[in-house]
Amino acid sequence: MTRSLAVIAALAIWTIGNAEARPVSYEGGWTVIEETDRQSTSAWVHYTLTPTFSLGWRSEWDRRQDFVFNGPQATYLVNRWFGENYQANIYVFGGAGVATGVAENDAGSRAAAFVGVLADWETRRWFASYRARLFEAGGVDSSTFHAARFGFAPYEGDTGDLHTWLMVEIDHRPDNPDPVGVTPLVRFFKGSALLELGWSVTDDQPLANFTYRF
Amino acid sequence: MTKTLILAFAFAALAYPAVASPNDHQHHDENHDHLAHDHEEGHRHQDDTLDDAPTDRSAAILTRTAEIDAALAAGGEPIVIDILGVVCDFCAKAMNKTFSKRAEVASTYVDLDTKALSLVLRPEATLGDEMITTLVKKAGYRTAAIRRGEAALRGGDNADDAS
């Protein structure tokens, strides 16, 4: 399993190009993120120490595997490609903490850790991203997932306008009864706030993500 | 396992970077006033240490907002900085936050259409190109060119080397 994740991560790095809403902000910036998808709900706060490194705290409730994770997460911007009309980034991230079984998961509390890779490419009109994560928490949970997202903005908003994106996320979670999930979503973006609302057509679960940058 | 790898490969192949269409900005917000966008051809002085694509856009001029006009009326120096990688409001937020912390800066505005940061300094204040380039890097972006004074207000051929 670990080997397969290493291969996936290597593939992601090899593609050099594509990922998601910036987990590293400007130096001195705070970001608050809430994410709910068909698998889990999480809250993440991070502070950007340098333009390439952020440190934060993640709390995550895996609703399907019935556990809660709490711990710090570090994210490093490996490279950013700049163009007049595009930006592309590749990040690696990792965290460690404690995972505790809840509800039907009676495994108790175990040390937990995760590593992952995230890449994105975006213009004001097109967006593509890829992320993969390996999570290990002994008897509480051991899982992998990776997801790709593609988006299109029907119009280009200027600074301070409401920006709207139509997106679809395809995720693969090998341990799930429905391993491949498809989630269409709409992203609204205005100023410092980003809201995403979607619905997993695979297993009728909502997607609701919110990001605010201070 | 095999299925996982196939899916990973498919995602990776699909997500492979497409080519951005150059000069892809038709929309224009009307809550500010660009005096012109069709000035002379760009005279880019790029930071050659950067992992950038070359640029050929026209030189942006100072974006006029009420705050910027007030800062100009007070006698501050206008500066326009062409930025690489500006694609969304988070980029604008990063630069506005980073520059507005500086005592020298009276007003800032990032225009996504022109991909330029407009600054007006406080009267008598100065901010060197090297510091501007450093601040843009701290915000997470890259400087392509810097114009001051008349060139910032009306376009012109005095863009400073951003490196």
Side-chain angles (χ1 to χ4, degrees), chain A residues 83-199:
Chain A
E84 183 186 341
N85 293 305
Y86 73 88
Q87 180 186 133
N89 305 284
I90 187 159
Y91 305 90
V92 290
F93 59 89
V98 175
T100 304
V102 296
E104 292 174 16
N105 186 338
D106 56 5
S109 292
R110 301 287 175 89
F114 61 88
V115 292
V117 61
L118 175 61
D120 70 26
W121 170 87
E122 79 180 284
T123 70
R124 292 174 67 197
R125 189 69 87 164
W126 298 98
F127 177 90
S129 73
Y130 176 85
R131 64 199 157 113
R133 187 178 85 159
L134 165 65
F135 183 90
E136 182 57 58
V140 177
D141 186 58
S142 177
S143 61
T144 64
F145 94 90
H146 58 145
R149 186 187 282 202
F150 307 96
F152 167 73
Y155 63 91
E156 289 185 4
D158 200 2
T159 312
D161 289 349
L162 175 67
H163 303 249
T164 306
W165 288 80
L166 307 175
M167 298 181 151
V168 61
E169 180 165 299
I170 303 162
D171 66 301
H172 180 231
R173 302 171 189 271
D175 302 329
N176 276 11
D178 296 311
V180 178
V182 177
T183 307
L185 63 125
V186 183
R187 168 185 284 185
F188 300 106
F189 195 167
K190 185 171 170 59
S192 300
L194 184 153
L195 174 69
E196 295 176 339
L197 298 171
W199 194 263

Side-chain angles (χ1 to χ4, degrees), chain B residues 107-123:
Chain B
S107 184
T108 70
Y109 187 87
V110 175
D111 189 315
L112 292 180
D113 281 343
T114 60
K115 290 105 178 163
L117 165 63
S118 293
L119 290 182
V120 180
L121 303 184
R122 296 194 187 283

Side-chain angles (χ1 to χ4, degrees), chain B residues 57-114:
Chain B
R57 61 184 167 183
S58 300
I61 60 170
L62 196 77
T63 300
R64 307 300 287 264
T65 66
E67 197 181 67
I68 280 185
D69 282 344
L72 279 176
E77 181 190 13
I79 305 173
V80 172
I81 305 149
D82 294 334
I83 309 286
L84 294 175
V86 175
V87 291
C88 69
D89 271 7
F90 279 176
C91 311
K93 173 91 177 181
M95 276 176 288
N96 283 330
K97 277 278 190 181
T98 302
F99 277 87
S100 61
K101 283 179 187 167
R102 299 289 302 194
E104 302 93 329
V105 175
S107 184
T108 70
Y109 187 87
V110 175
D111 189 315
L112 292 180
D113 281 343
T114 60

